[in-house]
Amino acid sequence: MDRELRAEQEFIDGLHERVDRLRGHAESSVTGALTPVGNGLQARVERDVLLHERSGYLAALNAVEGSLCFGRIDLTSGAVHHIGRIGVRDEDPGTGELVPVLVDWRAPVARPFYLATGHTPLGLRRRRHLTYEGRTVTALHDEILDLDDATRTGHEDPTGDTVLLAALNTARTGRMADIVRTIQAEQDRVIRAPHRGVLVIEGGPGTGKTAVALHRAAYLLYEYRELLARRAVLIVGPNPAFLRYIGEVLPSLGETGVLLATVGELYPGVRATGTDTPRAVEVKGDADMARVLAAVVADRQALPDPVIPIEHDRDVLLLDAGLVRVARERTRALNLPHNVAREHFEGHLVNTLTDMLAERIGTDPYDGSNLLDPSDLTQIRDEIGANPEVHAAIEELWPRLSPERLVTEFLADPTHLAPEDAAAIRRAPSTNPDWTPADVPLLDEVAELLGEDDRAARAAAERERLDRIAFAQGVLDVAYASRTYEFEDKDDEESEVLGAHDIIDAERMAERHDEEDHRSAAERAAADRTWAFGHVIVDEAQELSAMAWRLLMRRSPTRSMTLVGDPAQTADEAGVGSWERALAPYVQDRWEHTVLDVNYRTPVEIMDLAAEALRAERPGFEPPKSVRTAGTRPWVRATTKDALPATLAHAVREELPVEGRLAVIAPRALHPALAAELPDVTAGEEPDLTRRVVLLDPRQSKGLEFDTVIVVEPGEYRTSDLYVAMTRATQSLGLIHTGRHSLPWLPAPSAR
């Protein structure tokens, strides 16, 4: 081992000694009793932030081993900084102060590691990348940035691309890895973009837009720690398999205050596992559905037909449509959600019945004056308000509704829709609906329209608060009695010692000992439909329907969002596709747009063929530029329908890489027959992507990548789905077809 390698190894050994010691401190901090100093909101916030930092730090220490430190920058000033996935500080033996031993990649001092070039060195003399096996440094790659410096180490990398290309060619594991070692300058600028506002990151397959978005989340959690520790970050992905695929990236960077979910998982208590026809998805996702649902809610605010008789104290009061219409219009004028407005409708109706009865029983027959005083009217109003028949009438005219009940009834009888649209979404009512992802935005919309009448909950909370105060007062009374007995024979000086009752009253004591919610912000957010996130990141955002956009905008009232996608890959029938059309209703033109146009994943040979497939529908299409070649072109095999499973099985055996993963992407209808010939394959709605062979349909493959991909029956896909399927491969691509469709761009059958 030469001197440079030995020096780096000594640094890494010393670093891990420190890390092992810090891990013990972090574990004791997280598991120990951590309580706020004081009783205010700020103290609780400080505790939450501290817990987040320590638990996230511990997660990072446990997730990264040999690659904790991945680089070094040597400044022309003589300073040297090692760069890592997280920061590590330790006590300086000379001063006793905490000093940085390892610089967090997100810190400003680390930024030249990603941005410096020979033309713009940003004060750097040298940039170094470290390569490991476990905790052993096996290679160094130095880039000389100060060309006037003649010092050489023997580890110079003439091109500066060795580390990047090695990472791109590494066998896939079925889990996305972080890219902190290889962030490119254009990616770094996106990652560190300002927190506020909407940022759209557009990029074709393999441009790293998902990785950039995740690292942006890590950067924002680092830069805006206090805010985002309280409010959490929401990351929305296209399907559960994708979320598992990216699930280890942020923990490896020390960040745990994140909720990962699909749109179908953003309504607490509902698990959307059902499926819709493409036409149903389109109808449910249309922007006009908001108007339709508002009309459906309004329909539940009924009028009597023709009257509702109310028996009260041997009298019969008649509620007709005219009287109820006045109460309804006055209530609607308040612009409150349906369930919240019910209290006001109830008040209007009770007042109407009170006036009706008061006029009947209290009018002087001689002069027409009313003989009832205010106390009489109050008594009548209370009695009418307690009448079960009045409550039954209110329930009929302005019922309490739940989103689940209303959407179930609407889908059983879709009103306010064109007949063909109603037929597309109609389904039989059920007490346990099989909710679909396209239903969730409808449930969320209806929940907004209905609101929640929380009077009962507020009353129960107040009763609990009073009970706690009463208990606290009892504790203080016992303490006071004990103290009085203890000091009754003492001198005056001893008896003046303050007791608990002298410094705290029962109400404050009850508040201090109230049970606190120890869940993380992400856990609380997952259970709260109305939670406002500190930042929202959406991957494959071009697929979102207009109704899904409405749901997500409610989760981000500050409009602090990062949207990731590629309009060329829009496949969902309800997908808005256009950024302008999706965002204009919410932020008009106040959003930033950046494009990543370098393809790091897909080799030139595969990208060229995928682009030809898309040009068959979009003649002027230009794909992102690939940075590497595979050396071989994609292969094509023709077979018969009956022989297709066997042909595929043979191809999988031939093409399965020694290391890495192979994906078979095929139409869903073919999966049972194909899986029967591939005994070791993983398939289904949530396949295990760490297995060697995975069977997917095109839309399941969105955002994923594999060493080898075999696309089955490419002629049966929509063009955008085919483009997605073909661009999942990092090394090789094969296509198997039965010749049932005309594909002019498809090369003649060839052997590998």
Side-chain angles (χ1 to χ4, degrees):
M1 181 181 291
D2 68 17
R3 183 177 62 182
E4 293 288 336
L5 270 173
R6 186 180 305 109
E8 293 294 355
Q9 187 64 60
E10 289 174 356
F11 171 80
I12 296 302
D13 291 342
L15 175 65
H16 280 283
E17 289 179 7
R18 292 184 172 95
V19 165
D20 290 339
R21 187 169 66 253
L22 291 170
R23 181 183 286 113
H25 292 325
E27 287 173 346
S28 62
S29 296
V30 172
T31 57
L34 187 60
T35 56
V37 177
N39 191 48
L41 173 63
Q42 183 62 33
R44 291 196 294 274
V45 167
E46 290 172 357
R47 186 213 55 203
D48 288 345
V49 170
L50 186 58
L51 271 173
H52 174 87
E53 289 179 340
R54 291 181 179 176
S55 60
Y57 195 72
L58 181 58
L61 292 177
N62 291 331
V64 291
E65 277 295 317
S67 56
L68 181 61
C69 170
F70 55 81
R72 191 181 96 175
I73 50 177
D74 296 11
L75 281 66
T76 54
S77 65
V80 173
H81 299 297
H82 282 84
I83 313 299
R85 283 173 169 76
I86 59 174
V88 176
R89 293 189 299 166
D90 204 357
E91 189 174 290
D92 184 292
T95 65
E97 297 180 355
L98 285 177
V99 295
V101 178
L102 184 67
V103 175
D104 193 300
W105 67 276
R106 297 164 288 189
V109 71
R111 199 170 188 195
F113 183 81
Y114 301 109
L115 298 183
T117 65
H119 183 266
T120 310
L122 299 178
L124 297 194
R125 182 174 64 84
R126 178 188 307 273
R127 171 169 47 213
R128 168 171 289 178
H129 293 266
L130 283 68
T131 301
Y132 296 88
E133 287 183 7
R135 292 187 178 186
T136 302
V137 181
T138 57
L140 307 177
H141 301 275
D142 288 347
E143 296 174 66
I144 304 301
L145 297 171
D146 181 1
L147 301 182
D148 294 329
D149 185 350
T151 304
R152 295 295 180 265
T153 65
H155 297 278
E156 282 71 27
D157 179 356
T159 67
D161 292 332
T162 301
V163 173
L164 174 62
L165 292 175
L168 298 178
N169 286 310
T170 299
R172 270 40 190 177
T173 65
R175 292 286 183 266
M176 177 180 277
D178 66 64
I179 60 167
V180 288
R181 299 180 66 208
T182 58
I183 292 172
Q184 302 300 293
E186 71 275 11
Q187 295 173 330
D188 183 82
R189 283 187 282 271
V190 177
I191 289 169
R192 298 175 195 259
H195 166 238
R196 295 293 182 184
V198 176
L199 173 65
V200 173
I201 305 174
E202 183 177 322
T207 54
K209 55 188 181 295
T210 296
V212 166
L214 293 173
H215 288 70
R216 174 163 169 75
Y219 170 75
L220 294 176
L221 285 162
Y222 172 87
E223 189 72 8
Y224 304 96
R225 175 70 65 203
E226 183 172 329
L227 169 65
L228 297 184
R230 284 187 284 119
R231 302 310 312 166
V233 172
L234 171 65
I235 297 180
V236 179
N239 55 62
F242 172 84
L243 294 179
R244 280 200 305 279
Y245 175 67
I246 68 172
E248 296 177 2
V249 173
L250 288 170
S252 75
L253 299 173
E255 300 303 341
T256 57
V258 177
L259 175 63
L260 278 70
T262 64
V263 169
E265 295 169 332
L266 288 177
Y267 190 89
V270 166
R271 181 169 171 78
T273 58
T275 56
D276 275 313
T277 65
R279 177 62 180 149
V281 170
E282 184 178 10
V283 173
K284 291 178 181 180
D286 190 89
D288 191 52
M289 189 57 70
R291 176 197 63 80
V292 169
L293 293 174
V296 170
V297 171
D299 287 345
R300 299 302 194 272
Q301 300 163 4
L303 297 175
D305 185 19
V307 298
I308 297 176
I310 305 290
E311 291 189 17
H312 183 78
D313 197 20
R314 298 186 299 277
D315 277 296
V316 176
L317 306 174
L318 299 179
L319 276 175
D320 61 28
L323 292 172
V324 174
R325 183 178 288 108
V326 172
R328 185 175 72 173
E329 295 311 312
R330 288 178 177 174
T331 303
R332 285 178 173 177
L334 299 173
N335 291 319
L336 295 172
H338 173 90
N339 288 334
V340 177
R342 175 187 161 111
E343 177 181 358
H344 299 275
F345 177 77
E346 180 181 330
H348 287 310
L349 219 56
V350 169
N351 287 340
T352 297
L353 292 171
T354 299
D355 294 343
M356 189 185 302
L357 185 58
E359 183 178 355
R360 182 176 302 179
I361 67 175
T363 302
D364 189 314
Y366 299 104
D367 60 11
S369 62
N370 198 301
L371 303 176
L372 302 177
D373 61 26
S375 63
D376 295 326
L377 294 176
T378 299
Q379 182 178 349
I380 293 172
R381 185 179 292 107
D382 291 343
E383 290 172 352
I384 288 177
N387 187 331
E389 291 196 16
V390 173
H391 287 282
I394 293 169
E395 186 62 27
E396 178 181 342
L397 300 171
W398 200 291
R400 286 190 182 89
L401 297 170
S402 72
E404 293 84 351
R405 169 188 162 188
L406 192 68
V407 174
T408 298
E409 293 174 354
F410 167 69
L411 294 176
D413 181 21
T415 56
H416 303 281
L417 284 173
E420 60 273 18
D421 291 343
I425 67 172
R426 183 177 288 112
R427 69 177 181 228
S430 170
T431 56
N432 186 24
D434 191 11
W435 298 110
T436 71
D439 291 334
V440 168
L442 307 190
L443 289 165
D444 197 72
E445 185 75 23
V446 170
E448 286 292 306
L449 293 168
L450 296 181
E452 185 176 351
D453 184 356
D454 62 350
R455 283 178 292 171
R458 290 201 310 267
E462 179 62 15
R463 288 194 298 272
E464 290 180 8
R465 189 182 73 86
L466 293 175
D467 288 344
R468 289 196 301 270
I469 291 174
F471 177 79
Q473 186 62 58
V475 171
L476 290 174
D477 290 344
V478 170
Y480 179 73
S482 298
R483 179 175 176 277
T484 301
Y485 175 79
E486 179 183 352
F487 286 105
E488 62 183 4
D489 295 328
K490 304 292 184 180
D491 58 35
D492 290 342
E493 183 176 343
E494 289 182 288
S495 64
E496 289 178 1
V497 176
L498 292 176
H501 66 282
D502 295 312
I503 59 177
I504 191 169
D505 59 22
E507 186 169 359
R508 180 64 61 84
M509 183 176 179
E511 289 178 359
R512 180 166 294 184
H513 291 278
D514 188 12
E515 182 178 354
E516 294 189 41
D517 189 344
H518 295 293
R519 294 174 299 170
S520 69
E523 291 169 332
R524 295 196 301 273
D528 185 353
R529 190 194 67 81
T530 64
W531 189 272
F533 288 89
H535 194 78
V536 175
I537 294 176
V538 186
D539 207 322
E540 303 293 349
Q542 77 281 351
E543 302 290 357
L544 294 181
S545 70
M547 292 301 292
W549 279 113
R550 290 175 67 88
L551 177 153
L552 286 176
M553 289 298 175
R554 293 186 193 107
R555 305 304 191 270
S556 182
T558 62
R559 305 294 187 258
S560 178
M561 307 179 81
T562 301
L563 310 176
V564 182
D566 178 14
Q569 298 183 60
T570 304
D572 200 291
E573 286 74 12
V576 175
S578 162
W579 301 122
E580 292 81 1
R581 191 161 59 250
L583 296 175
Y586 308 102
V587 294
Q588 298 178 353
D589 61 352
R590 299 187 303 275
W591 50 279
E592 298 295 326
H593 182 221
T594 187
V595 177
L596 301 176
D597 56 7
V598 178
N599 187 334
Y600 298 100
R601 176 207 302 146
T602 317
V604 171
E605 298 87 347
I606 296 175
M607 202 66 221
D608 286 347
L609 186 60
E612 285 300 316
L614 199 56
R615 287 192 189 109
E617 184 176 287
R618 308 177 193 180
F621 173 74
E622 286 299 326
K625 303 298 186 292
S626 297
V627 299
R628 62 196 181 93
T629 64
T632 57
R633 291 187 58 79
W635 53 265
V636 179
R637 294 182 190 172
T639 187
T640 64
K641 181 179 179 181
D642 291 340
L644 178 59
T647 302
L648 173 64
H650 179 71
V652 168
R653 288 192 295 271
E654 284 186 331
E655 302 296 329
L656 185 63
V658 176
E659 297 182 15
R661 303 295 180 272
L662 181 150
V664 175
I665 303 178
R668 182 58 67 94
L670 298 179
H671 282 203
L674 299 180
E677 292 291 325
L678 302 170
D680 296 327
V681 75
T682 177
E685 291 299 325
E686 300 184 19
D688 180 359
L689 299 177
T690 64
R691 298 270 292 277
R692 296 293 307 284
V693 182
V694 183
L695 177 59
L696 305 166
D697 65 34
R699 298 191 185 184
Q700 284 181 298
S701 72
K702 273 186 173 292
L704 309 181
E705 61 183 25
F706 305 89
D707 299 271
T708 300
V709 170
I710 300 176
V711 177
V712 178
E713 291 289 30
E716 294 191 11
Y717 304 157
R718 287 179 50 162
T719 303
S720 56
D721 285 338
L722 179 58
Y723 180 64
V724 169
M726 294 174 67
T727 54
R728 299 305 96 195
T730 65
Q731 301 296 337
S732 65
L733 171 69
L735 300 98
I736 300 177
H737 68 93
T738 59
R740 292 184 292 160
H741 301 274
S742 175
L743 298 173
W745 55 269
L746 190 66
S750 59
R752 172 67 189 272

